[in-house]
């Protein structure tokens, strides 16, 4: 079977809204195999993948260690009974996710408490749970609420003692965090399959914990397309066709950006919008991507996430980080919230978690999860057939180990600096087409803007198609598809990045054939 036959089968038998096939040809290619940072199509042509297949292949396509883990597990136990008769790897992965999130964050918080007398051990990471809408009484905090330092090794930590008192403390809605003796330093996980399912598990947790249905999300946000998550995905292209069936509990406020555009909302304007929404609606959670990916590669000001932490504490709401795209080293830290040392109450993970198997997770503070969810009596109120699939768990454990041993977050940080420097050198000398590079780590992109300030979609999309013909796989991002994104495997080399940037510059015609005004 060749590419033409495959695309014909898709046209005949797949719902027509899924795979776009350019009637003029050249898009899409049909993947045959992939390894490392390279992809081969059905004709044997090789491509440099600058997408990591939607950010999934963080440790490289078909990473040998991850593949072997999956193969061994498939031969041993292909499927178990997720919420009835579990398998050992699900327990091991839940423990590992706790270690790389709340345990290492909490240990760092305890260290800060020793260094600074009077500093709360939780670093205000614990949002108080009250079933009311008013703001909490203000308490003295540090100048940078939500900030803490993180241990360097995410897989080797010692938990801070916790216990039943911590969960009781949360249920009672106390404004002050638990003492170090009752501070629960672990996380608990709800496994799922796709990213939006992890988000919906977090949304359910917020409702159970606070009793408030409202969720604040942000303009430009993408949290998935399931009916729960869709309420918090901003783009009307996705929501409008199904608006009649949506619960409409999402409330959107502007997302602050550091794009160098005067029309962008300031942090003060965003805070005013947040406070208005908190006052008018029964808000149980704030859901945010620490860096917006599909929204157009938008990095917020460094004060933004700590301020969200403080506002959530003040108004008794949970802070949820959607790190499905940004997690596992993509932005140069294990998790993007660590750039501002901000701790969420819940974190949603997926994509790079396994390197290629459908598995996602909602990880929350153990005391919060115990307070929100009742103990199982034999019939779980949130579950699925493939919950915590054994093959996915095996691959995830191998993937996490590979990311840690190869120090891929640090690698992404260094390569991201190099990439942005290279992108900043691209400029069209024969037109006023503006190129605006931005990003964090290896979550980067360059926005194309026309001289009148409108999105240069008609230039960006043909450029991506031309790059595909040259052997480079790129994707457009943003509502207007005018941001050419760079999200390669974290194993990409500096010469490969330089080669891709040069190809982009050539396609855009730097100095010779830029679009004329």
């Amino acid at each position: 079977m060749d590419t033409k036959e495959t695309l014909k089968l898709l046209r005949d038998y797949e719902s027509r809204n899924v795979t776009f096939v350019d009637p003029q040809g050249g898009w899409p290619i049909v993947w045959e195999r992939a390894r490392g940072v390279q992809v081969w199509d059905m004709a044997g042509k090789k491509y440099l993948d600058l997408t990591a297949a939607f950010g999934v292949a963080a440790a490289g396509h078909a990473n040998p260690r991850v593949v072997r883990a999956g193969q061994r597990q498939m031969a041993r136990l292909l499927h178990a009974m997720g919420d009835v008769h579990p398998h050992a790897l699900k327990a091991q992965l839940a423990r590992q996710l706790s270690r790389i999130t709340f345990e290492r964050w909490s240990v760092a918080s305890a260290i800060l408490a020793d260094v600074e007398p009077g500093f709360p051990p939780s670093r205000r990471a614990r949002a108080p749970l009250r079933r009311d809408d008013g703001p909490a009484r203000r308490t003295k905090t540090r100048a940078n609420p939500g900030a803490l330092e993180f241990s360097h090794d995410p897989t080797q930590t010692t938990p801070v003692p916790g216990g039943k008192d911590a969960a009781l403390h949360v249920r009672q809605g106390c404004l002050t965090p638990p003492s170090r003796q009752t501070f629960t330093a672990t996380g608990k996980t709800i496994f799922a399959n796709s990213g939006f399912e992890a988000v919906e598990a977090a949304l359910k947790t917020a409702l159970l914990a606070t009793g408030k249905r409202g969720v604040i999300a942000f303009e430009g946000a993408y949290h998935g397309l399931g009916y729960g998550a869709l309420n918090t995905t901003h783009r009307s292209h996705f929501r409008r066709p199904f608006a009649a069936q949506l619960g409409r509990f999402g409330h959107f406020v502007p997302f602050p950006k550091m794009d160098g555009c005067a029309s962008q909302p300031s942090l003060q304007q965003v805070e005013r919008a947040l406070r208005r929404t908190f006052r008018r609606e029964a808000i149980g959670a704030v859901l945010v991507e620490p860096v917006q990916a599909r929204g157009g590669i938008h990095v917020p000001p460094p004060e933004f996430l700590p301020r969200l932490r403080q506002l959530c504490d003040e108004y008794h709401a949970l802070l949820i980080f959607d790190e499905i795209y940004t997690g596992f080293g993509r932005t140069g830290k294990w998790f993007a919230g660590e750039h501002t040392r901000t701790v969420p109450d819940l974190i949603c993970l997926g994509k790079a978690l396994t390197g290629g198997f459908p598995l996602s997770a909602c990880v929350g503070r153990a005391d919060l999860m115990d307070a929100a969810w009742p103990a199982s009596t034999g019939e779980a109120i949130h579950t699925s057939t493939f919950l915590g699939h054994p093959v996915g768990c095996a691959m995830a454990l191998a993937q996490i180990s590979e990311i840690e041993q190869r120090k891929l977050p640090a690698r992404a940080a260094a390569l991201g600096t190099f990439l942005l420097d290279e992108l900043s050198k691209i400029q069209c000398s024969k037109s006023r087409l503006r190129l605006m590079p931005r990003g964090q780590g290896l979550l980067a992109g360059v926005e194309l803007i026309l001289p009148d300030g409108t999105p240069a979609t008609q230039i960006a999309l043909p450029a991506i198609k031309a790059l595909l013909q040259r052997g480079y796989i790129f994707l457009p991002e943003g509502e207007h598809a005018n941001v050419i994104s760079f999200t390669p495997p974290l194993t990409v080399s500096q010469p490969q990045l330089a080669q891709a940037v040069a190809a982009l510059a050539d396609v855009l015609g730097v100095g010779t054939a830029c679009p004329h005004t």
Side-chain angles (χ1 to χ4, degrees), residues 98-120:
S98 172
R99 285 175 171 173
I100 66 175
T101 56
F102 291 96
E103 288 185 35
R104 60 191 269 265
W105 299 339
S106 299
V107 168
S109 179
I111 292 172
L112 279 180
D114 286 333
V115 173
E116 302 181 34
F119 175 65

Side-chain angles (χ1 to χ4, degrees), residues 132-137 275 279 313-316:
D132 60 56
D133 302 332
R137 177 173 55 84
R275 288 189 179 277
R279 288 193 297 266
D313 291 347
E314 182 179 341
Y315 286 94
H316 315 297

Side-chain angles (χ1 to χ4, degrees), residues 217-235:
F218 293 87
E219 294 172 5
Y222 182 90
H223 298 293
L225 305 181
Y227 264 20
L230 193 54
N231 285 274
T232 57
T233 290
H234 180 249
R235 197 182 307 177

